[in-house]
Structures are given as C-alpha cells and as structure tokens.
Amino acid sequence: MIDALEILLQANFWAAAIRIATPLIFGVLGALICERAGVLNLGIEGIFVAGAMAGWLSVYLGAPLWLGVSVAAVTGACLGLLHGCLTVILGLSQHVAGIGITLFATSAAYFGYRVAFPTVTTPPRIEPFQPLGLSFLEAVPVIGPALSQQTALTWLAFAATGATAFVLAKTPLGLAIRAVGDNPASVDAQGLSVAGLRMGALAAGSALMALGGAFLTMSAFNAFFFGMINGRGWVCIALTVFASWRPGKALLGALLFGAFDAYQLRLQTLAGGAVPSQLFLMLPYLLSIAALILVARKADYPRALMKPYIKGER
Amino acid sequence: MSAPPPVAASVLALRGITKRFGALTANSAVDLTLHKGEIVALLGENGAGKTTLMNILFGHYLADEGEVLVASSEGELRPLPQGSPQAALDAGIGMVHQHFTLAENLTGFENVLLGLEPLFGLARGRRAMRRSVEALIARTGLSARLDVRVAELGVGERQRIEILKALSRRTRILVLDEPTAVLTPQEAEGLFMALRTLAAEGLSIVFISHKLDEVLALSQRLVVLRAGRKVADRPTAGADRALIARLMVGEEVEVERPAPVHPGPVALDLAHVSAGSGRTRLIEATLALQQGEIVGIAGVSGNGQSSLAGLVAGLLRPESGAITVLGRQGAASPAERRRDGVGRLAEDRHRDGMVGDMTVEENLVIERRGEMPFSRLGLLRSKAIRAAAQEAIASYDIRCPGPDAPLRLLSGGNIQKLLLARALAGGPRLILANQPTRGLDVGATVGVHRRLREAAEAGAAVLLISEDLDELFALSHRIAVIHAGRLTPVVDAAKLSAAEIGLAMAGEASSGFGAAA
C-alpha cells in the first residue's frame, strides 16, 4: 500500500505521465478548436495515424526533425480541410464523414508505409527529439526533473495550450470562432463567412491532432508501428467534453489521464502476476468514464455543434 | 406622430423586385423608396412577402428581377451588389431579424464586437468601442447589460443588443422585422422612444409589424403588400385601423360578435381538479363547458393555462378532483382524447403542433395515419392523402408551393390554417384552442375566428385560451380568468368589461367575477 502511494513522489512517474499526456494535449486542443467552431471531427484517430506516419517518414527520408513536424501538421490540415469539404461545404453528417476520414487516413498511412518498406519486418528507426535537460528546473522537487526530461514537442504542446486559450478568449478571431459554433447566423449577419471560419478551425485543429501523432513517432518512440495510436484520438474526443471546451481544463484533463496511465503501469509491476495486467490497462479508461459522468452531465455543448449551416434556409 | 420632413433625400430605392420560390411568387415587381430620417411601416398579411423583400435588401436572397439602389456618401443612388450581406452592411444597412442572430455563449458586448474588428489581429480599440456603445445607450435609452452572457438575458434585452449591434456599424438604414412581437407593452414603448430619437438624428427606419396601433403611432408612411404586390404607399396621417386592415386583407373586415348560443350537453366538466407542477400548476379548477358554446379563458401566459390545456388534451393526469371529457371520466391518453372527438390547437405550434421537415400533406393526416381512408392493411394510401390535402388547401386557403412541400417553408399564418384544418377534420365535439391567433396577422386571425365560430354553431364546444382581450370578447359566450393557477367562476361575457377582466388577470379582486365590490 505504502509502495503504491510512494509512486506519486517519483520524478520518473511524473515524467512518464507528462509524456503520455503530450499527444493527448495536442489532440484535445485540436478537437476543441473544431468543436468550438461547430464541427465534430471524428477523423481525429486517423489524423493521428497520418501525422505519425508523415512526420516520421519525412525524417527517415532525410528531412530535419522540425521539417518533419511541419509535414505532419500540413498532412493533418489537409485531412481537416477534406472533412470540411464534406461537412461544411456539402453539409453531410459529421459523424459519418469523420469516421470515413479516420478509416481513410489510417489505411492510407499503412499503405504508404507498405509501399515505402515492402519487405522490412522491423520498422526502421530515426533519431528522435531528445530531452531538453533544462538544468535550472532540476532544483524544483519531483516536478522539476520530470519536466526537464521532456522534449521540445512537449513544450510546444504547453505553448499551444496557452496560444489556443489566448486566441479563443482575447482576439477577434476567437470571438468569431466561438460565435460560429453557437449560432452561425450571428456570424453570417455580420458579413463574416461561416464556411471560411469553420474550414479554418478544422485546418488548424486537425494540424494540432497530427502533431499529437508526430509526437509518438518522433519523440516518445523512434519508429512507426501499426496500431500504435490505439484509441488515443477517441480519448481526446471524450476529454474535450470533460474539459468543457476550455484549453486550460483540456491540459488538466490530458495530464490527469496521463497520470492514471503511468500509475497503472507502475501498479502492474508492483502487483507482479497476482492481478491480471488487463485489469490495470482498463483503469485509466474506467476512470475517464467516471470523470466524464461527473462532469459531462452538466456539459454546455456549443449550440451549433454538428449542425450544418445552410444559408437562407427557414 | 411627427410630420414627415419636407423634401428629404432618398437613401434607398428598391425597383421592380420580383422573387419566386418554385411555384410561389413571394414578391412581384415591388417598388419601395425610403427617405432620410423617415420611419416607414411595411405591412401585409403572413406570407405577403414582407420578410422576403427585406431579405433581398439584406442580401440573404437573390432577387429574380429588379434592383436595389442605396445612396452613397455623396447622396447619389448607386446599385447595391445583390446576394451579399457584407455589401449591404458596408452600404449602411442594418437588420434586426425576427429570430435574433446573437451568439448566446458570448456577452452582449462581444456580440456587438463581432464582425466589427479585423478578423486577424489583436483586440485593439475595444475600450473606445465600449465607450461609443455606452454613449449610444445613454442617447437612445436602449439599456442592456453588456457584460452578461446573452443566454442569461431576456428577449427585450436581447433585442436591444441586436439594435445596438446594428447601430454600431454606422448604419443609415435600419430594418426591424416585427420587433414588438416578443416585447411587453412597456418594452415596446421604450423601443418606440428610441426609434423616434434615432429617426430625428437622420436614421431611416423600415418597421415591419402586424400591430396596427403601433404602426399608427410610430410611422410616417405606410407601405402595404398583399400577395407579393405593393397595394398601397401613403402617409400614415389620415389612416385608421379599419383602412389599414382593409388594405392588407383586400376586403372590409367585419366587426365580430359571438353568435347566439344554443347550448347542448356538457362536453367538458372539471370539478376541483389540480394538476401540473411549479408555476403553471392548476389548482382546484372547476369549469363546465357545453356543446355549442365558446368559453374563453383569459390570463397572462404561464398562469396555469398549459396545465389546463394538458388536462383536456390528455397530456397531463389530474392529481385530484374529477374530470369528464366528452363522457369519459378520468385521465385518458392524447390518442383516446382525439378519438373521443377532441380537436387541438397547440399553444406553441412550431414546437408541439407540427413536424417541419415533413410535408404539408403528411402533417395534415399525421394524427389519422392509421385510419381509413388514409391507410389500409398497415400501408399509407397516397392518393387518399393527396386528395384530402388538396381539399384542405383549397377550403382553408393554405398558401403553399404544394401538398408535398415541407411544412417549415410556409409562413406562420398558413401553418396555423393547416393545423386548424387538421384539428377540425372529422368534426370534433370539443375544440381546445390555445392561443389560436398568436403571431398571426389580421386576415389570418379573421379566418381562424370564423372557423371556430362556425364549429361552435355546428355544435362543438370550444375552450378558447387567450391573452388577447379583443379575441376573447369577439368569440366567447362566457369568460373565466386564470391567475396563479386558480380559475374564477365562468361569467357571461356580455356582463363583463375589459377592465374587470384586466383586474382579475392581475390577480386583484374583481367585482365582475363575484368578488365583493
């Protein structure tokens, strides 16, 4: 029992929690930007896969790491715009289009991988982002060392959280995005383009989602595996509701999930073989469902979420 | 009412505007000119084409023919590019829609800011903007809380935000689409004061309304549309209610009086019934309604009317007391009530009365979908349905593109005509008419009244729930007032005055209803 609590004081535990949280931070931010503009983007899972694949492959082919990150972001943005063409321009069902994007992007990534490496059994490795090792942080107990072990992409995720919060709350663009997700007619009546705002939000949000994927292949690991996204995108959709569409709470939710996941990994070792490891694997998901039940019943959804806007319709 | 300014320059000219929706011609060669500082009332029945015309002006619809000219800053009339709200806004046209275009998750001030600042940039100049909005509020009296989320504001305050939003854009022409439909009389009076101030400052205003008194009080000129055509364009001075009503409907509107009553057996009998919950709870209601008579229930909305209507329609179960509806004692389901012969007009027709995405004919037979002749062996019979729909469209004068058009495309008055046709189909013996003419224009109202009166003469009992005293007096043989869930005794309408009803509606003791004077 004591051992189980001692885990919480280990810098390594917190380092792992933040590492696990990083792709989720990108994903939740991306999802909440899309949803604030009124579009549910269930393409997220596939966009994660595509971003992971595109970023890693570019680096493998000789691109510098940051160029790889950019390639991943652009890939995500393109998939977001595709989702926008279907749901914003044509007004199709956002659920169906999103799942279609996920299936398409996942398969396209796997196909691209097989075309590039037809005969390889172990995926080739790249030289990933290294921990920044910020020595001035080491003085802070527990959290300091945990943070100094993170790579530049984690810091980018933190910065993206701040930037998203600032843009949404403090700028004219954020005002328009919040308005278009609540009542698109309000934006249209002011002469702003509903489609333009929603497409822009989808491109930006999907680029962030793809960065979440890129983090996995270019920082957490150093190669691309099939099935490595493993539902992280869906977790982000749930975390968005948990966060009530607020960037600050999104960061908190992602860190909470990361902590649960890191904790169950350590509990597994602690319990040895006494408890089946699958039970521990379920733990973070059970806890996130429980948290969702507590929080999301009162959730204040963007009023125009999932409603296509067709001009001039009564 | 002030005299129109002598020779003010025109700021807006619509020329030969024609707009068709499929087979329906919403506007036919309409001309309209607006001068600086002028308040013009745009009148017409539901579906006469007022809103369509304004939507063309504002770029929401494209006109099939005709052009829109707006004065440039030099005062010269120039064509306005069509189909672009942005162009209309840039030309200084502001519109306050019937359904507000506010984002509810933003504050009032944020709604005003929306679209005013350059989209890509930091929020600069908000303090100056804030000062100018506050100055506008001080000048016009359009008071509104700017830092509260719109979701928490009432309709009156939301509308003032809408107007402030429009005025913050250097608007020279302001269009208000039925602005008082949702306001209390006090709020409406405040709005008129503000509009007069603004017109005196040089703002040109187009005011769409159904309420003839308001039009007479506020406007300097009247423009009347009928079936998409302009039928009158004249100064307000010298016009009266009867004249305007005649222009709108195209015929003399007769003064209405209830027909003499020949009461039959009791159709509805309530004895000390309580039902519902909260503010709309009905407490110890006693009421008897005979076939052939119309009994009006007067009262301000939200005083228990919805519980009373729910009881009669079968949506609510009585908690205590005895209820007998058309011979059936106790509670019953809505379907049973309908089969027993209860016809219903829902209070909120859009929410409870119709399925907007279904067609006119489907909505018409939806309650009788399982009955002959509309279905046989569990299959719908489209020929019989179409025939019934065409008959209803003709006899109730429902103006629609066709029986297979989605119902949501129709105007409010035409939707109510269809719901009336549905309620009266099969000759109901008890008709529940809950706010039957709310939001309808003069012509549609007259039509609804005539149908209800005819149904009563044919032997139906009518329970009329209304806030409109004119309507209650025009139709009811007997009247009761509901306040805070309690019904007064039912009194012969001829023995009542409007003042007595008004007192009882406000919850005061009123001698008309048996209280000691």
Side-chain angles (χ1 to χ4, degrees), chain B residues 10-38:
Chain B
S10 332
V11 289
L12 172 73
L14 302 177
R15 291 196 186 144
I17 300 287
T18 297
K19 174 71 185 172
R20 298 179 199 91
F21 293 105
L24 191 87
T25 304
N27 288 143
S28 174
V30 177
D31 293 324
L32 176 70
T33 312
L34 187 63
H35 303 102
K36 189 170 165 64
E38 188 182 30

mmCIF file of all heavy atoms in Angstrom, chain B residues 10-38:
data_model
loop_
_atom_site.group_PDB
_atom_site.id
_atom_site.type_symbol
_atom_site.label_atom_id
_atom_site.label_comp_id
_atom_site.label_asym_id
_atom_site.label_seq_id
_atom_site.Cartn_x
_atom_site.Cartn_y
_atom_site.Cartn_z
ATOM 1 N N SER B 10 -33.612 60.718 -50.883
ATOM 2 C CA SER B 10 -33.832 59.269 -50.765
ATOM 3 C C SER B 10 -32.514 58.614 -50.381
ATOM 4 O O SER B 10 -31.461 58.986 -50.874
ATOM 5 C CB SER B 10 -34.281 58.650 -52.083
ATOM 6 O OG SER B 10 -34.959 59.563 -52.847
ATOM 7 N N VAL B 11 -32.602 57.625 -49.495
ATOM 8 C CA VAL B 11 -31.408 56.878 -49.131
ATOM 9 C C VAL B 11 -31.458 55.469 -49.697
ATOM 10 O O VAL B 11 -30.451 54.783 -49.760
ATOM 11 C CB VAL B 11 -31.224 56.801 -47.606
ATOM 12 C CG1 VAL B 11 -30.837 58.158 -47.061
ATOM 13 C CG2 VAL B 11 -32.468 56.283 -46.930
ATOM 14 N N LEU B 12 -32.649 55.042 -50.087
ATOM 15 C CA LEU B 12 -32.791 53.664 -50.541
ATOM 16 C C LEU B 12 -33.918 53.585 -51.560
ATOM 17 O O LEU B 12 -34.952 54.235 -51.398
ATOM 18 C CB LEU B 12 -33.136 52.761 -49.347
ATOM 19 C CG LEU B 12 -33.510 51.316 -49.658
ATOM 20 C CD1 LEU B 12 -32.272 50.532 -50.056
ATOM 21 C CD2 LEU B 12 -34.178 50.658 -48.474
ATOM 22 N N ALA B 13 -33.697 52.815 -52.615
ATOM 23 C CA ALA B 13 -34.767 52.590 -53.586
ATOM 24 C C ALA B 13 -34.725 51.142 -54.039
ATOM 25 O O ALA B 13 -33.691 50.659 -54.486
ATOM 26 C CB ALA B 13 -34.609 53.531 -54.774
ATOM 27 N N LEU B 14 -35.840 50.442 -53.861
ATOM 28 C CA LEU B 14 -35.990 49.103 -54.424
ATOM 29 C C LEU B 14 -36.810 49.275 -55.688
ATOM 30 O O LEU B 14 -37.846 49.939 -55.664
ATOM 31 C CB LEU B 14 -36.719 48.167 -53.463
ATOM 32 C CG LEU B 14 -36.109 47.967 -52.082
ATOM 33 C CD1 LEU B 14 -36.996 47.075 -51.228
ATOM 34 C CD2 LEU B 14 -34.744 47.324 -52.211
ATOM 35 N N ARG B 15 -36.360 48.701 -56.791
ATOM 36 C CA ARG B 15 -37.093 48.894 -58.049
ATOM 37 C C ARG B 15 -37.446 47.563 -58.698
ATOM 38 O O ARG B 15 -36.561 46.777 -59.027
ATOM 39 C CB ARG B 15 -36.246 49.722 -59.018
ATOM 40 C CG ARG B 15 -36.121 51.141 -58.518
ATOM 41 C CD ARG B 15 -35.640 52.086 -59.579
ATOM 42 N NE ARG B 15 -35.416 53.400 -58.989
ATOM 43 C CZ ARG B 15 -34.438 54.216 -59.361
ATOM 44 N NH1 ARG B 15 -33.618 53.869 -60.331
ATOM 45 N NH2 ARG B 15 -34.308 55.388 -58.772
ATOM 46 N N GLY B 16 -38.735 47.349 -58.836
ATOM 47 C CA GLY B 16 -39.233 46.185 -59.583
ATOM 48 C C GLY B 16 -38.752 44.854 -59.060
ATOM 49 O O GLY B 16 -38.405 43.964 -59.824
ATOM 50 N N ILE B 17 -38.719 44.699 -57.730
ATOM 51 C CA ILE B 17 -38.200 43.456 -57.159
ATOM 52 C C ILE B 17 -39.200 42.316 -57.339
ATOM 53 O O ILE B 17 -40.363 42.421 -56.937
ATOM 54 C CB ILE B 17 -37.913 43.626 -55.650
ATOM 55 C CG1 ILE B 17 -36.885 44.726 -55.410
ATOM 56 C CG2 ILE B 17 -37.487 42.304 -55.030
ATOM 57 C CD1 ILE B 17 -35.479 44.377 -55.781
ATOM 58 N N THR B 18 -38.743 41.241 -57.959
ATOM 59 C CA THR B 18 -39.558 40.040 -58.117
ATOM 60 C C THR B 18 -38.757 38.858 -57.599
ATOM 61 O O THR B 18 -37.565 38.735 -57.886
ATOM 62 C CB THR B 18 -39.905 39.806 -59.598
ATOM 63 O OG1 THR B 18 -40.695 40.901 -60.048
ATOM 64 C CG2 THR B 18 -40.694 38.517 -59.782
ATOM 65 N N LYS B 19 -39.414 38.030 -56.779
ATOM 66 C CA LYS B 19 -38.737 36.846 -56.242
ATOM 67 C C LYS B 19 -39.710 35.674 -56.243
ATOM 68 O O LYS B 19 -40.817 35.789 -55.750
ATOM 69 C CB LYS B 19 -38.251 37.122 -54.812
ATOM 70 C CG LYS B 19 -37.658 35.922 -54.108
ATOM 71 C CD LYS B 19 -36.324 35.529 -54.669
ATOM 72 C CE LYS B 19 -35.788 34.248 -54.055
ATOM 73 N NZ LYS B 19 -34.591 33.771 -54.737
ATOM 74 N N ARG B 20 -39.283 34.571 -56.854
ATOM 75 C CA ARG B 20 -40.120 33.370 -56.879
ATOM 76 C C ARG B 20 -39.427 32.263 -56.118
ATOM 77 O O ARG B 20 -38.216 32.102 -56.206
ATOM 78 C CB ARG B 20 -40.353 32.908 -58.321
ATOM 79 C CG ARG B 20 -41.090 33.923 -59.170
ATOM 80 C CD ARG B 20 -41.283 33.426 -60.595
ATOM 81 N NE ARG B 20 -41.568 34.556 -61.473
ATOM 82 C CZ ARG B 20 -40.646 35.242 -62.131
ATOM 83 N NH1 ARG B 20 -39.373 34.882 -62.040
ATOM 84 N NH2 ARG B 20 -40.974 36.265 -62.884
ATOM 85 N N PHE B 21 -40.220 31.491 -55.350
ATOM 86 C CA PHE B 21 -39.734 30.244 -54.755
ATOM 87 C C PHE B 21 -40.521 29.137 -55.422
ATOM 88 O O PHE B 21 -41.674 28.902 -55.079
ATOM 89 C CB PHE B 21 -40.004 30.201 -53.254
ATOM 90 C CG PHE B 21 -39.220 31.217 -52.465
ATOM 91 C CD1 PHE B 21 -39.827 32.345 -51.957
ATOM 92 C CD2 PHE B 21 -37.863 31.034 -52.235
ATOM 93 C CE1 PHE B 21 -39.113 33.273 -51.227
ATOM 94 C CE2 PHE B 21 -37.146 31.957 -51.506
ATOM 95 C CZ PHE B 21 -37.767 33.077 -51.007
ATOM 96 N N GLY B 22 -39.925 28.469 -56.389
ATOM 97 C CA GLY B 22 -40.672 27.452 -57.123
ATOM 98 C C GLY B 22 -41.917 28.074 -57.735
ATOM 99 O O GLY B 22 -41.842 29.062 -58.452
ATOM 100 N N ALA B 23 -43.080 27.512 -57.386
ATOM 101 C CA ALA B 23 -44.324 27.992 -57.979
ATOM 102 C C ALA B 23 -44.856 29.233 -57.261
ATOM 103 O O ALA B 23 -45.777 29.891 -57.725
ATOM 104 C CB ALA B 23 -45.372 26.894 -57.944
ATOM 105 N N LEU B 24 -44.263 29.536 -56.119
ATOM 106 C CA LEU B 24 -44.778 30.617 -55.286
ATOM 107 C C LEU B 24 -44.064 31.926 -55.633
ATOM 108 O O LEU B 24 -42.846 31.977 -55.633
ATOM 109 C CB LEU B 24 -44.504 30.265 -53.821
ATOM 110 C CG LEU B 24 -45.169 31.110 -52.756
ATOM 111 C CD1 LEU B 24 -46.552 30.547 -52.465
ATOM 112 C CD2 LEU B 24 -44.326 31.080 -51.494
ATOM 113 N N THR B 25 -44.832 32.982 -55.961
ATOM 114 C CA THR B 25 -44.220 34.287 -56.202
ATOM 115 C C THR B 25 -44.326 35.093 -54.923
ATOM 116 O O THR B 25 -45.408 35.514 -54.532
ATOM 117 C CB THR B 25 -44.912 35.007 -57.358
ATOM 118 O OG1 THR B 25 -44.855 34.162 -58.490
ATOM 119 C CG2 THR B 25 -44.204 36.315 -57.678
ATOM 120 N N ALA B 26 -43.187 35.274 -54.241
ATOM 121 C CA ALA B 26 -43.207 35.940 -52.941
ATOM 122 C C ALA B 26 -43.230 37.462 -53.103
ATOM 123 O O ALA B 26 -43.839 38.168 -52.304
ATOM 124 C CB ALA B 26 -42.013 35.505 -52.109
ATOM 125 N N ASN B 27 -42.560 37.983 -54.129
ATOM 126 C CA ASN B 27 -42.569 39.413 -54.422
ATOM 127 C C ASN B 27 -42.781 39.593 -55.909
ATOM 128 O O ASN B 27 -42.176 38.894 -56.717
ATOM 129 C CB ASN B 27 -41.244 40.083 -54.054
ATOM 130 C CG ASN B 27 -41.039 40.201 -52.558
ATOM 131 O OD1 ASN B 27 -39.939 40.066 -52.073
ATOM 132 N ND2 ASN B 27 -42.121 40.437 -51.829
ATOM 133 N N SER B 28 -43.647 40.524 -56.269
ATOM 134 C CA SER B 28 -43.915 40.734 -57.672
ATOM 135 C C SER B 28 -43.790 42.224 -57.993
ATOM 136 O O SER B 28 -44.619 43.019 -57.569
ATOM 137 C CB SER B 28 -45.327 40.212 -57.985
ATOM 138 O OG SER B 28 -45.672 40.519 -59.292
ATOM 139 N N ALA B 29 -42.709 42.602 -58.671
ATOM 140 C CA ALA B 29 -42.460 43.972 -59.120
ATOM 141 C C ALA B 29 -42.716 45.008 -58.020
ATOM 142 O O ALA B 29 -43.499 45.916 -58.176
ATOM 143 C CB ALA B 29 -43.298 44.287 -60.357
ATOM 144 N N VAL B 30 -42.054 44.839 -56.885
ATOM 145 C CA VAL B 30 -42.270 45.743 -55.762
ATOM 146 C C VAL B 30 -41.290 46.921 -55.838
ATOM 147 O O VAL B 30 -40.095 46.727 -56.036
ATOM 148 C CB VAL B 30 -42.081 45.011 -54.419
ATOM 149 C CG1 VAL B 30 -42.227 45.975 -53.262
ATOM 150 C CG2 VAL B 30 -43.077 43.874 -54.297
ATOM 151 N N ASP B 31 -41.821 48.141 -55.704
ATOM 152 C CA ASP B 31 -41.000 49.357 -55.608
ATOM 153 C C ASP B 31 -41.110 49.889 -54.186
ATOM 154 O O ASP B 31 -42.186 49.861 -53.605
ATOM 155 C CB ASP B 31 -41.513 50.449 -56.555
ATOM 156 C CG ASP B 31 -41.339 50.063 -58.009
ATOM 157 O OD1 ASP B 31 -40.322 49.411 -58.316
ATOM 158 O OD2 ASP B 31 -42.217 50.394 -58.816
ATOM 159 N N LEU B 32 -40.002 50.392 -53.675
ATOM 160 C CA LEU B 32 -40.055 50.991 -52.337
ATOM 161 C C LEU B 32 -38.956 52.042 -52.244
ATOM 162 O O LEU B 32 -37.811 51.772 -52.592
ATOM 163 C CB LEU B 32 -39.842 49.905 -51.266
ATOM 164 C CG LEU B 32 -39.769 50.372 -49.815
ATOM 165 C CD1 LEU B 32 -41.126 50.849 -49.346
ATOM 166 C CD2 LEU B 32 -39.283 49.250 -48.924
ATOM 167 N N THR B 33 -39.316 53.232 -51.809
ATOM 168 C CA THR B 33 -38.325 54.293 -51.632
ATOM 169 C C THR B 33 -38.328 54.713 -50.172
ATOM 170 O O THR B 33 -39.374 54.759 -49.532
ATOM 171 C CB THR B 33 -38.655 55.505 -52.505
ATOM 172 O OG1 THR B 33 -38.941 55.045 -53.814
ATOM 173 C CG2 THR B 33 -37.490 56.462 -52.561
ATOM 174 N N LEU B 34 -37.143 55.005 -49.660
ATOM 175 C CA LEU B 34 -37.023 55.403 -48.266
ATOM 176 C C LEU B 34 -36.210 56.690 -48.205
ATOM 177 O O LEU B 34 -35.193 56.816 -48.874
ATOM 178 C CB LEU B 34 -36.304 54.280 -47.497
ATOM 179 C CG LEU B 34 -36.189 54.385 -45.993
ATOM 180 C CD1 LEU B 34 -37.563 54.358 -45.349
ATOM 181 C CD2 LEU B 34 -35.346 53.234 -45.469
ATOM 182 N N HIS B 35 -36.706 57.666 -47.424
ATOM 183 C CA HIS B 35 -36.008 58.948 -47.309
ATOM 184 C C HIS B 35 -35.249 59.039 -46.000
ATOM 185 O O HIS B 35 -35.525 58.294 -45.069
ATOM 186 C CB HIS B 35 -37.001 60.098 -47.418
ATOM 187 C CG HIS B 35 -37.788 60.074 -48.692
ATOM 188 N ND1 HIS B 35 -39.083 59.634 -48.746
ATOM 189 C CD2 HIS B 35 -37.434 60.376 -49.958
ATOM 190 C CE1 HIS B 35 -39.503 59.685 -49.998
ATOM 191 N NE2 HIS B 35 -38.520 60.128 -50.757
ATOM 192 N N LYS B 36 -34.336 59.998 -45.959
ATOM 193 C CA LYS B 36 -33.516 60.188 -44.762
ATOM 194 C C LYS B 36 -34.409 60.568 -43.581
ATOM 195 O O LYS B 36 -35.269 61.445 -43.700
ATOM 196 C CB LYS B 36 -32.494 61.281 -45.033
ATOM 197 C CG LYS B 36 -31.453 61.436 -43.954
ATOM 198 C CD LYS B 36 -30.363 62.384 -44.448
ATOM 199 C CE LYS B 36 -29.486 62.880 -43.316
ATOM 200 N NZ LYS B 36 -28.733 61.807 -42.681
ATOM 201 N N GLY B 37 -34.202 59.899 -42.460
ATOM 202 C CA GLY B 37 -34.909 60.241 -41.237
ATOM 203 C C GLY B 37 -36.364 59.829 -41.210
ATOM 204 O O GLY B 37 -37.121 60.293 -40.365
ATOM 205 N N GLU B 38 -36.741 58.960 -42.114
ATOM 206 C CA GLU B 38 -38.141 58.591 -42.230
ATOM 207 C C GLU B 38 -38.398 57.227 -41.571
ATOM 208 O O GLU B 38 -37.559 56.340 -41.624
ATOM 209 C CB GLU B 38 -38.484 58.510 -43.722
ATOM 210 C CG GLU B 38 -39.942 58.315 -44.024
ATOM 211 C CD GLU B 38 -40.186 58.191 -45.529
ATOM 212 O OE1 GLU B 38 -39.296 57.695 -46.246
ATOM 213 O OE2 GLU B 38 -41.266 58.571 -45.975
#
